């Protein structure tokens, strides 16, 4: 379906972790809506991308400050910040197998990276009395799976609460803060996680995918999402069409979460 309007023309957006998976799909969506898009990641993209790229490892505070400084020096203002970077390298097996380092790594990547980047960028939004911050969280922030990704789910739950608190604090200053919580999404990172988990429990990839879906209570649509399906929601939330939306956590999971949530 051809676009009839470009709601984000004249807006500048940063997408962290924007060279692949959900992040790349979001970058493509925002660009299709007319935004000038900058992406960051730890490594140079394997293939050429049509966006400005800034190398940054958001585990490190110095790298976050350098990213924010370079961004504001070059573009002067940022209208949309998509805190997409996240993930886990912690082993499956639950509380008993997780080390302090596993917890620290997941909290740094999935919570503190967003907090630190917000702290570096949001003041410039407040000065202009406008801006949108979207945190990409996870269904696991609502439904943690202790056997497969406990520390990841806990860190995403903390991100959800931080995002709500920040939204309430800066709403009167012209800034909207929103959370998007995808369920299972068909990305290389998800495939890597499922392969690793399958190896640890001695099951096939397909068996493990079904096991994870079942452990969430089932996915009524019986499939993983495509990254573009997450990106379409993010594009809407970043646009003026969502101007009265802030402080909300949008779960996009194929119907997984029970109504009580």
């Amino acid at each position: 379906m051809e676009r009839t309007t470009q709601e984000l023309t004249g807006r500048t957006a940063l997408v962290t972790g924007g060279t692949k998976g959900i992040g790349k799909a979001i970058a493509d969506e925002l660009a299709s809506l007319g935004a000038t898009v900058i992406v960051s990641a730890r490594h140079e993209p394997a293939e050429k991308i049509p966006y400005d790229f800034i190398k940054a490892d958001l585990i490190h505070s110095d790298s976050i400050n350098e990213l924010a400084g370079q961004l504001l020096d070059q573009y002067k203002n940022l209208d949309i910040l998509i805190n997409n970077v996240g993930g886990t390298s912690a082993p499956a097996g639950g509380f008993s197998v997780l080390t302090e380092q596993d917890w620290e790594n997941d909290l740094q990547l999935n919570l503190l990276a967003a907090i630190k980047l917000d702290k570096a960028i949001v003041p410039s939004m407040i000065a202009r009395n406008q801006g949108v911050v979207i945190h990409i969280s996870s269904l696991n922030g609502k439904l943690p799976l202790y056997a497969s990704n406990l520390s990841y789910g806990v860190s995403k739950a903390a991100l959800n609460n931080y995002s709500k608190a920040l939204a309430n604090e800066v709403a009167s200053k012209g800034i909207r803060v929103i959370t998007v919580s995808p369920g299972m999404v068909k990305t290389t990172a998800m495939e890597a996680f499922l392969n690793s988990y399958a190896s640890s429990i001695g099951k096939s990839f397909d068996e493990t995918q079904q096991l994870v879906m079942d452990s969430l209570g089932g996915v009524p649509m019986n499939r993983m999402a495509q990254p573009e399906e997450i990106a379409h929601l993010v594009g809407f939330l970043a646009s003026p069409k969502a101007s009265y939306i802030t402080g909300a956590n949008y779960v996009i999971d194929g119907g997984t979460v029970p109504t009580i949530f």
Side-chain angles (χ1 to χ4, degrees), residues 12 38 52-54 67-77:
T12 303
I38 305 99
D52 286 349
F53 172 79
I54 301 176
L67 169 62
Q70 184 176 342
L71 185 71
L72 295 177
D73 284 346
Q74 186 170 345
Y75 297 94
K76 306 306 178 188
N77 300 307

Side-chain angles (χ1 to χ4, degrees), residues 31-54:
S32 77
L33 293 171
T36 297
V37 176
I38 305 99
V39 300
S40 71
R42 286 181 296 173
H43 306 292
E44 297 276 353
E47 299 177 356
K48 185 175 177 58
I49 57 175
Y51 314 115
D52 286 349
F53 172 79
I54 301 176

Side-chain angles (χ1 to χ4, degrees), residues 14-233:
L14 171 67
V15 182
T16 66
T19 60
K20 57 186 178 181
I22 295 173
K24 184 179 183 302
I26 292 171
D28 291 343
E29 178 73 11
L30 298 182
S32 77
L33 293 171
T36 297
V37 176
I38 305 99
V39 300
S40 71
R42 286 181 296 173
H43 306 292
E44 297 276 353
E47 299 177 356
K48 185 175 177 58
I49 57 175
Y51 314 115
D52 286 349
F53 172 79
I54 301 176
K55 186 175 181 178
D57 186 347
L58 301 188
I59 287 180
H60 303 294
S61 297
D62 289 347
S63 188
I64 291 172
N65 292 331
E66 288 173 9
L67 169 62
Q70 184 176 342
L71 185 71
L72 295 177
D73 284 346
Q74 186 170 345
Y75 297 94
K76 306 306 178 188
N77 300 307
L78 187 73
D79 301 292
I80 301 164
L81 171 58
I82 310 294
N83 278 300
N84 167 70
V85 74
T88 183
S89 58
F95 170 81
S96 62
V97 305
L98 294 173
T99 66
E100 287 186 10
Q101 193 62 55
D102 292 326
W103 283 103
E104 289 174 7
N105 289 345
D106 274 5
L107 288 168
Q108 179 63 57
L109 185 60
N110 297 294
L111 173 65
L112 295 177
I115 292 174
K116 292 176 182 179
L117 189 55
D118 288 349
K119 190 171 181 62
I121 295 293
V122 170
S124 67
M125 293 180 169
I126 292 173
R128 299 169 56 232
N129 199 43
Q130 68 176 54
V132 180
V133 178
I134 298 179
H135 298 113
I136 306 302
S137 183
S138 169
L139 177 62
N140 294 126
K142 286 180 172 287
L143 293 174
L145 301 178
Y146 72 86
S148 58
N149 58 14
L150 174 60
S151 53
Y152 174 77
V154 170
S155 61
K156 288 298 191 181
L159 178 67
N160 295 347
N161 279 273
Y162 158 72
S163 187
K164 176 61 174 176
L166 179 64
N168 290 346
E169 180 177 350
V170 301
S172 64
K173 301 172 184 178
I175 316 303
R176 297 192 296 113
V177 181
I178 305 160
T179 307
V180 172
S181 293
M184 296 180 70
V185 183
K186 190 174 179 60
T187 64
T188 55
M190 175 60 76
E191 290 176 355
F193 161 72
L194 290 174
N195 277 318
S196 175
Y197 189 31
S199 177
S200 71
I201 62 176
K203 293 185 178 294
S204 71
F205 180 91
D206 289 341
E207 289 172 330
T208 303
Q209 177 177 313
Q210 190 62 52
L211 176 65
V212 173
M213 292 172 70
D214 290 345
S215 68
L216 290 168
V219 180
M221 285 192 172
N222 200 35
R223 66 174 178 86
M224 289 193 279
Q226 294 296 324
E228 293 76 16
E229 292 175 302
I230 312 304
H232 292 327
L233 174 59

